[in-house]
Amino acid sequence: MTATGGQQEPHTPRGGRSVGVEEEMWLADPRTRAARAQAPEVTGRRTDGLEKELFRHQVELTTEPHTDLGDLAADVAAQRERAVAAADEAGLLLVAAGTVPLPHDELVLTDDGRYRAMAERYGAVVRAAGTCGMHVHVQIASPEEGVRVLDRIAPYLPVVLALSANSPFEDGRDTGHASWRSQQWARWPSAGVTEPFGDLAGYRAATEALVRSGAARDTGMLYLPARLAADYPTVEVRVADVMTERRDVVVLVALVRALVETAARDALPQVGWRTELLRAAHWLAAREGPHGRLLHAERPYGEPAPAADVVAGVLGVVADAAADAGDRPLLEEGVSRLLATSGAAAQRAVHERTGRLEDVVDDLARRTAGR
């Protein structure tokens, strides 16, 4: 991710805190629609905002920081258009989806010393990194504020996951989950939900202990649902699947920014979740997406409720922050759309109509390219 506005004030007249996005995507053979380990042929055609990933069938697109979501939307579109063009020149398709639907054997490690060390240390767990997520960076005023935000937004992140769910197929089958990527990613020893950190010292003690234990090789491998970014003055929310539709990316960013701002204002209700219940909330979000039932962030010991009701409750909590940033109409309209047709639902609709996962990949590539 490029520098995310470290010299700016955390509040501006319109747009609020600066935000940036990292989108992981994968490359497909236009004939077979299987993944192709040819990322160097794509990244070598560009130098700005397109980076390598752990495996050679993946690339990562990064935006600049923006306070206005209209500017962010334009940046996302421009990054994708350039990446699609580079993939096309290499004879490949660029696909924004959390998993590769068709069977593929091309899990070829990128030639990088750090990646080789990770593969040696973590063995078959590394295969989880063949999936594609979306990371949202939101500016914070200080690390201390960031930890307060992390503790407060944790029970609300399953809703972010549910709305982003975009990985129902893998290895030629329907996994029975709206977000299978999140279940694969949970295999990392440094992934998964945490207890509240309490303060910056608590955060540092916990994360340093993970590194000392070997569960994380370094701070870049702290694969928590949300964390303090290692190199930027941001909170980095990491729970989302990469989203196929560009407009949906901006909606999810609006929600995450509103959650962070509400938490920073001490206006996000603090709820005492046990980690096993929070883990269950994440699994339910991954299983059902936004079309089933979710656990309510403020009623952790209650029965799961319809996703639409749970999401509406979250929107009510963050309404003031979203309005102050100028995001409320976009957020409400976009969330309504995702509740009607999520990424996972769109993939399944194509498969139900044609019975071919190749058609699912074609549709994903077309929509990734904005066509």
Side-chain angles (χ1 to χ4, degrees), residues 141-212:
S142 66
E144 290 80 5
E145 179 186 72
V147 174
R148 293 197 304 273
V149 166
L150 294 178
D151 284 352
R152 286 164 173 77
I153 67 173
Y156 297 84
L157 294 183
V159 166
V160 176
L161 169 59
L163 289 170
S164 75
N166 191 30
S167 52
F169 298 109
E170 187 182 64
D171 200 27
R173 72 187 192 283
D174 190 320
T175 65
H177 288 71
S179 172
W180 185 241
R181 176 210 60 85
S182 63
Q183 300 306 288
Q184 291 283 74
W185 196 255
R187 296 190 299 174
W188 285 104
S190 58
V193 301
T194 64
E195 296 180 8
F197 298 106
D199 54 26
L200 181 58
Y203 177 85
R204 287 176 172 163
T207 56
E208 288 167 4
L210 279 173
V211 173
R212 284 197 306 272

Side-chain angles (χ1 to χ4, degrees), residues 1-296:
M1 166 120 184
T2 54
T4 311
Q7 300 304 311
Q8 298 175 342
E9 292 297 323
H11 303 284
T12 60
R14 177 173 172 78
R17 294 167 185 261
S18 66
V19 288
V21 180
E22 299 164 347
E23 296 185 281
E24 298 165 347
M25 302 185 189
W26 55 274
L27 300 165
D29 185 316
R31 182 180 60 85
T32 66
R33 284 75 155 197
R36 290 290 297 274
Q38 293 182 254
E41 297 181 28
V42 177
T43 57
R45 297 168 189 269
R46 283 189 51 195
T47 58
D48 58 320
L50 185 64
E51 302 173 5
K52 65 184 180 182
E53 269 294 330
L54 182 61
F55 288 108
R56 288 181 56 172
H57 68 282
Q58 300 169 292
V59 295
E60 182 179 77
L61 285 64
T62 64
T63 72
E64 293 293 327
H66 299 281
T67 55
D68 188 282
L69 292 190
D71 294 335
L72 178 71
D75 198 350
V76 169
Q79 291 289 352
R80 287 196 181 198
E81 286 164 10
R82 288 193 287 266
V84 167
D88 186 64
E89 290 172 12
L92 299 166
L93 300 173
L94 183 71
V95 183
T99 49
V100 177
L102 288 160
H104 67 103
D105 298 321
E106 292 209 22
L107 278 177
V108 180
L109 200 70
T110 297
D111 187 16
D112 179 278
R114 183 173 186 271
Y115 293 159
R116 288 193 296 272
M118 288 170 63
E120 181 178 353
R121 171 73 178 177
Y122 300 100
V125 171
V126 169
R127 291 181 64 89
T131 60
C132 294
M134 183 177 88
H135 307 155
V136 180
H137 286 256
V138 183
Q139 183 184 12
I140 51 175
S142 66
E144 290 80 5
E145 179 186 72
V147 174
R148 293 197 304 273
V149 166
L150 294 178
D151 284 352
R152 286 164 173 77
I153 67 173
Y156 297 84
L157 294 183
V159 166
V160 176
L161 169 59
L163 289 170
S164 75
N166 191 30
S167 52
F169 298 109
E170 187 182 64
D171 200 27
R173 72 187 192 283
D174 190 320
T175 65
H177 288 71
S179 172
W180 185 241
R181 176 210 60 85
S182 63
Q183 300 306 288
Q184 291 283 74
W185 196 255
R187 296 190 299 174
W188 285 104
S190 58
V193 301
T194 64
E195 296 180 8
F197 298 106
D199 54 26
L200 181 58
Y203 177 85
R204 287 176 172 163
T207 56
E208 288 167 4
L210 279 173
V211 173
R212 284 197 306 272
S213 75
R217 184 174 182 270
D218 49 41
T219 56
M221 275 193 65
L222 294 172
Y223 298 146
L224 309 177
R227 68 185 186 186
L228 299 183
D231 299 320
Y232 313 110
T234 64
V235 162
E236 180 186 1
V237 174
R238 303 173 51 87
V239 295
D241 285 3
V242 67
M243 305 182 82
T244 307
E245 298 283 351
R246 303 172 186 188
R247 60 183 180 174
D248 294 339
V249 172
V250 181
V251 171
L252 207 73
V253 171
L255 176 59
V256 171
R257 177 163 66 178
L259 281 168
V260 170
E261 178 62 32
T262 305
R265 296 177 181 182
D266 292 330
L268 203 60
Q270 289 185 266
V271 183
W273 281 64
R274 292 180 59 92
T275 53
E276 61 268 29
L277 284 175
L278 195 51
R279 189 163 55 245
H282 276 263
W283 172 79
L284 192 59
R287 174 68 176 80
E288 304 289 340
H291 307 301
R293 298 170 70 81
L294 301 173
L295 285 173
H296 198 292

